[in-house]
Amino acid sequence: MIVCLSTTWRFQTWRYSVNLLPVLDSNTQTYTMKSLRKVISAPSRVFRGMDPTGLTSRVTRYFWPSVCLVFFVLYLICNTYNVAAPPRSRRTKHHQGEYQAHVAPAAGRITERNRVNFTSVKEDWRDNIVYPQVDITDFPPLDPSVCPSMKEDIEIAPANSMPLIALASFPRSGNTWSRSLIQIATGYSTGSVHWETERNLPRVKDWFKAGVEDFMLRKGVCVKSHFYGPGHVPIFEDGAILLLRNPYYSLASEFLRFHSRQLNDTEDFIVSIMKNEDERWTRNYLPTYDKWKNTALSWITRCKRLMIVFYEDLERNTVYELTRMVAFLGQPIQPMRIQCAVHSYASMQGRMNHTSQMNFDPYTTALHQLLDGYIEEVNRTLIRKQAMPLPTYKKYYQET
């Protein structure tokens, strides 16, 4: 090999020098030829005085370690970037009209008693927004005795076995409640893009078990996300479920949560901040208003396959909305599991409703104008896509 490289070096150098010499004068040609002799003889000088045995020993010494290093790097690449992922975890082509369920359910999970045909789910498309068509009229009556076991048999899916679908929302919009419902309804745990900061939380370790690992491993049936950046949304190649809640409620709830959990303020103190129109509420909190709007607009405009769930609809008709979410995720529709999910977590309905904590409207006139403008902007975007508009949002507190 070394002899071949040396010969090639000499030949290529000589070939280019021959083409160059005719354009040079005699003095320059003499100097150039001396320089070329040094260049051409360079490989010979490198190995001069080295006997064949020593040369072979030196090549052998570095050859096998180099081969091992190459294979080790290839191993890391294959296991990190999912080069050989199974077909069902690769990018899904979305065709308007139906979405094939392409994730195999766990063995023995489905019985004839609770089976519903899920080979294909009809979908109504409005631009990039999807409305799964489901029917819950033939669901059997709930048997509460089977619910405890369904709450205990939640599994973490094998790596690379799930589509990459986000459960996106602004904070305090029902994400935790929806994840709990989905886990029981499907029998699979849910992941989170915030896994690095949440994996040590007791609730995550005990309940959202797929949320302790990198969400790109595709072990969760869906992935919690409060992010909305232009580089984040396209990561979820199989789509997203966007939870939208009345911002008058979610913003106030998030303000209460942040100050109570992060700053350890008492509830009475936080309420007084809002009632007295403190700048921590009226001015410093304004970027969070933008975040509500940007979360909605980013997912609506950038996601290629999006299902929108209004929190108010989920609270009002939980079985139907949960069935739609299960269908969108490509999972089998199992009526008993869906009804057990609603039965087990019905107590979470309304837990984020803080109207009982206040008997006043915390939003100033300027804040109302700002927030109403954001609601209208999101609504116009939905209407432009011929999608269902936002519900008529009532103000935070209205005297009766």
Side-chain angles (χ1 to χ4, degrees):
M1 180 179 68
I2 294 175
V3 174
C4 292
L5 290 174
S6 177
T7 304
T8 304
W9 172 274
R10 294 187 180 191
F11 173 75
Q12 294 292 344
T13 307
W14 177 259
R15 183 166 63 88
Y16 288 120
S17 65
V18 170
N19 294 331
L20 179 66
L21 286 176
V23 300
L24 303 175
D25 56 33
S26 58
N27 293 332
T28 306
Q29 287 181 9
T30 303
Y31 176 77
T32 303
M33 288 302 296
K34 290 181 180 179
S35 301
L36 286 174
R37 290 192 188 98
K38 293 181 180 180
V39 175
I40 293 172
S41 61
S44 300
R45 292 199 305 273
V46 173
F47 300 106
R48 184 177 298 162
M50 185 181 297
D51 61 293
T53 304
L55 180 60
T56 303
S57 175
R58 177 166 295 186
V59 172
T60 306
R61 182 188 305 172
Y62 296 108
F63 176 78
W64 289 113
S66 300
V67 171
C68 293
L69 180 62
V70 169
F71 276 101
F72 178 72
V73 172
L74 290 175
Y75 171 82
L76 290 179
I77 293 174
C78 291
N79 284 272
T80 303
Y81 295 101
N82 190 27
V83 173
R88 63 184 176 182
S89 69
R90 293 182 180 172
R91 185 179 297 274
T92 304
K93 294 183 179 179
H94 308 305
H95 301 283
Q96 295 192 6
E98 65 178 29
Y99 179 61
Q100 298 292 333
H102 63 288
V103 180
R109 182 67 57 77
I110 302 174
T111 63
E112 291 302 322
R113 178 185 177 189
N114 61 11
R115 177 185 292 275
V116 171
N117 182 17
F118 60 91
T119 54
S120 64
V121 176
K122 294 296 181 181
E123 295 180 336
D124 179 18
W125 285 70
R126 311 286 178 86
D127 197 13
N128 63 317
I129 300 176
V130 183
Y131 296 91
Q133 305 298 302
V134 297
D135 184 7
I136 63 172
T137 56
D138 59 345
F139 277 19
L142 171 66
D143 180 4
S145 64
V146 302
C147 293
S149 61
M150 291 184 178
K151 190 176 178 180
E152 297 296 328
D153 68 351
I154 309 300
E155 300 178 359
I156 300 176
N160 299 317
S161 66
M162 287 290 177
L164 199 56
I165 299 177
L167 182 64
S169 70
F170 177 81
R172 313 302 290 173
S173 297
N175 204 301
T176 299
W177 179 35
S178 299
R179 290 176 70 187
S180 299
L181 293 173
I182 289 171
Q183 288 195 165
I184 298 179
T186 64
Y188 289 110
S189 184
T190 59
S192 173
V193 301
H194 314 280
W195 65 277
E196 291 181 296
T197 56
E198 296 179 345
R199 59 183 171 184
N200 293 322
L201 297 177
R203 179 183 62 189
V204 175
K205 292 191 290 186
D206 296 339
W207 181 231
F208 301 120
K209 296 182 179 180
V212 303
E213 297 183 275
D214 189 346
F215 70 97
M216 291 300 290
L217 293 174
R218 298 171 180 256
K219 291 186 175 183
V221 67
C222 63
V223 180
K224 166 190 172 181
S225 177
H226 291 322
F227 296 149
Y228 56 88
H232 178 71
V233 175
I235 292 175
F236 296 92
E237 55 194 31
D238 295 301
I241 298 173
L242 175 63
L243 297 169
L244 288 178
R245 187 187 182 201
N246 184 344
Y248 279 104
Y249 288 90
S250 58
L251 284 165
S253 181
E254 173 62 7
F255 186 79
L256 287 162
R257 183 205 66 81
F258 177 79
H259 277 265
S260 61
R261 296 186 185 179
Q262 303 296 327
L263 303 182
N264 295 320
D265 293 333
T266 63
E267 183 177 303
D268 291 339
F269 177 74
I270 302 170
V271 171
S272 68
I273 289 176
M274 303 170 76
K275 188 172 185 177
N276 296 327
E277 301 181 5
D278 189 285
E279 66 176 7
R280 283 170 287 188
W281 166 248
T282 60
R283 190 174 71 176
N284 299 350
Y285 196 58
L286 291 182
T288 310
Y289 285 59
D290 294 336
K291 183 178 178 181
W292 179 88
K293 178 193 72 172
N294 293 333
T295 297
L297 292 179
S298 183
W299 284 99
I300 291 171
T301 58
R302 292 190 173 102
C303 186
K304 294 182 179 179
R305 178 176 176 266
L306 180 70
M307 174 184 173
I308 298 177
V309 175
F310 299 127
Y311 175 83
E312 293 73 19
D313 291 343
L314 181 63
E315 194 172 34
R316 186 183 308 110
N317 195 349
T318 311
V319 172
Y320 178 73
E321 294 298 324
L322 178 57
T323 304
R324 292 176 63 236
M325 287 193 283
V326 171
F328 180 86
L329 293 171
Q331 293 294 316
I333 297 175
Q334 303 174 69
M336 197 57 63
R337 293 196 71 93
I338 291 173
Q339 294 182 93
C340 279
V342 177
H343 174 76
S344 299
Y345 281 93
S347 59
M348 297 186 72
Q349 295 187 32
R351 74 182 184 93
M352 294 178 292
N353 189 340
H354 296 287
T355 53
S356 60
Q357 300 173 3
M358 303 180 192
N359 57 358
F360 65 96
D361 182 359
Y363 295 92
T364 64
T365 302
L367 292 178
H368 273 293
Q369 293 176 348
L370 178 68
L371 196 50
D372 289 344
Y374 287 168
I375 293 172
E376 180 60 27
E377 186 176 352
V378 173
N379 217 16
R380 285 198 306 267
T381 304
L382 291 172
I383 294 173
R384 190 163 56 246
K385 291 176 173 288
Q386 298 183 338
M388 292 181 60
L390 296 173
T392 302
Y393 288 144
K394 64 179 182 179
K395 309 307 180 185
Y396 188 85
Y397 175 79
Q398 296 176 329
E399 295 193 26
T400 57

